[in-house]
């Protein structure tokens, strides 16, 4: 029988590579490792890569297995899900993995200027009704700018056509350099060893016959970012463990 949530939270509280700072306490508890992740935790000068909304942490751990010369931090607010990846990393004695349980809306409180090299967004909720909740909105891009290196890399891997079209529009409007883009990753010839890491939710999308989309782009530090003002067709399916999609045809 698998562990329940309370047991998982107890494990997480004892794990040396897990840091828990949810919004409810972050104002009262200073995060002293900001700007010192490499010095105080990883004990090296390797680049830091974040997975935001890491869920079970499959991508965080999968990337860390492949890149011993980089440091990886999975970020999510749901500790019971994160427990899976955190436990795998602990069992494998992985020294280049950490997990941060917090709200992504305040992610810039935990990293200093230029401290992070790359961001992965893997199957984020497309948040079709509210633009400021989308992890590829300019609202979040401005936060990422606060701690990404100049021309830091952002990866988006998604099942959502809405999220893909919105992100592509945001990138094009703001003239952000695109490194790679495809609306059908596994039939594009581009799915290398890294892009082929499959999360729990990704496999569900694939089993339903959905195409996986991928964008890799740079986020320059300079310039004012503008939100795209376009109509996008909503995803018309019900996602696993997500609320039912709106019946409206378009959204801004």
């Amino acid at each position: 029988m698998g562990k329940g949530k309370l047991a998982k939270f107890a494990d997480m509280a004892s794990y040396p590579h897990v840091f828990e700072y949810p919004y409810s306490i972050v104002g009262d508890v200073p995060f002293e490792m900001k700007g010192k992740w490499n010095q105080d935790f990883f004990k090296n000068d390797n680049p830091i890569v974040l997975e935001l909304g890491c869920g079970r942490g499959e991508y965080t751990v999968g990337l860390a297995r492949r890149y011993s010369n980089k440091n990886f931090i999975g970020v999510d607010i749901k500790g019971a899900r994160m427990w899976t990846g955190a436990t795998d990393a602990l069992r494998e004695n992985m020294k280049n993995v950490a997990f941060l349980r917090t709200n992504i809306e305040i992610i810039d409180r935990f990293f200093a200027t230029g401290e992070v090299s790359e961001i992965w967004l893997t199957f984020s909720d497309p948040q079709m009704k509210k633009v400021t909740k989308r992890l590829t909105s300019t609202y979040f891009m401005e936060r990422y700018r606060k701690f990404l290196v100049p021309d830091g890399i952002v990866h988006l891997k998604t099942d959502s056509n809405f999220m893909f079209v919105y992100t592509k529009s945001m990138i094009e409007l703001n003239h952000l350099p695109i490194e790679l883009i495809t609306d059908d990753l596994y039939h594009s010839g581009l799915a290398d060893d890294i892009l082929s890491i499959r999360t729990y939710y990704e496999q569900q999308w694939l089993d339903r016959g959905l195409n996986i989309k991928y964008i890799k782009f740079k986020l320059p530090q300079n310039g004012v970012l503008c939100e795209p003002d376009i109509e996008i067709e909503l995803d018309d399916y019900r996602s696993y463990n997500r609320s039912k999609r709106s019946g409206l045809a378009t959204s801004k």
Side-chain angles (χ1 to χ4, degrees), residues 54-109:
C54 69
R56 299 184 178 199
E58 300 107 317
Y59 234 89
T60 300
V61 173
L63 288 169
R65 289 185 182 122
R66 289 160 171 79
Y67 286 105
S68 60
N69 61 339
K70 293 184 180 182
N71 301 319
F72 296 88
I73 304 173
V75 183
D76 209 306
I77 191 58
K78 296 186 177 180
R81 289 184 186 174
M82 189 187 292
W83 175 89
T84 301
T87 300
D88 287 345
L90 187 66
R91 286 173 178 166
E92 295 179 33
N93 195 31
M94 301 177 75
K95 300 300 184 183
N96 63 332
V97 179
F99 287 89
L100 173 63
R101 189 172 79 85
T102 194
N103 305 76
I104 297 176
E105 290 84 352
I106 56 173
I107 189 64
D108 52 300
R109 299 189 188 187

Side-chain angles (χ1 to χ4, degrees), residues 89-145:
L90 187 66
R91 286 173 178 166
E92 295 179 33
N93 195 31
M94 301 177 75
K95 300 300 184 183
N96 63 332
V97 179
F99 287 89
L100 173 63
R101 189 172 79 85
T102 194
N103 305 76
I104 297 176
E105 290 84 352
I106 56 173
I107 189 64
D108 52 300
R109 299 189 188 187
F110 301 93
F111 301 95
T113 302
E115 192 169 19
V116 174
S117 295
E118 299 179 50
I119 291 173
W120 279 85
L121 305 171
T122 52
F123 302 94
S124 310
D125 191 318
Q127 296 288 348
M128 295 184 289
K129 292 185 178 180
K130 192 168 184 181
V131 66
T132 55
K133 288 185 174 289
R134 294 174 206 154
L135 295 188
T136 56
S137 68
T138 56
Y139 176 87
F140 278 101
M141 291 296 142
E142 291 292 3
R143 280 157 177 74
Y144 304 157
R145 276 179 162 182

Side-chain angles (χ1 to χ4, degrees), residues 5-6 8-27 29-31 33 37 74-83 86 98-103 106 110:
K5 282 189 175 181
L6 291 179
K8 289 179 179 179
F9 278 119
D11 284 349
M12 294 280 281
S14 70
Y15 286 175
H17 63 313
V18 173
F19 303 87
E20 300 188 88
Y21 285 81
Y23 190 83
S24 58
I25 69 167
V26 74
V29 181
F31 191 73
M33 206 155 57
W37 280 93
V75 183
D76 209 306
I77 191 58
K78 296 186 177 180
R81 289 184 186 174
M82 189 187 292
W83 175 89
F99 287 89
L100 173 63
R101 189 172 79 85
T102 194
N103 305 76
I106 56 173
F110 301 93

Side-chain angles (χ1 to χ4, degrees), residues 193-209:
D193 186 47
I194 304 306
L195 292 175
S196 295
I197 298 172
R198 295 183 181 180
T199 70
Y200 171 78
Y201 290 107
E202 177 174 4
Q203 191 57 55
Q204 290 186 328
W205 311 140
L206 289 169
D207 290 344
R208 297 181 69 186

Side-chain angles (χ1 to χ4, degrees), residues 182-191 198 206 209-212:
T182 176
D183 62 359
D184 190 359
L185 179 61
Y186 294 112
H187 294 94
S188 67
L190 300 173
R198 295 183 181 180
L206 289 169
L210 296 174
N211 291 344
I212 304 304

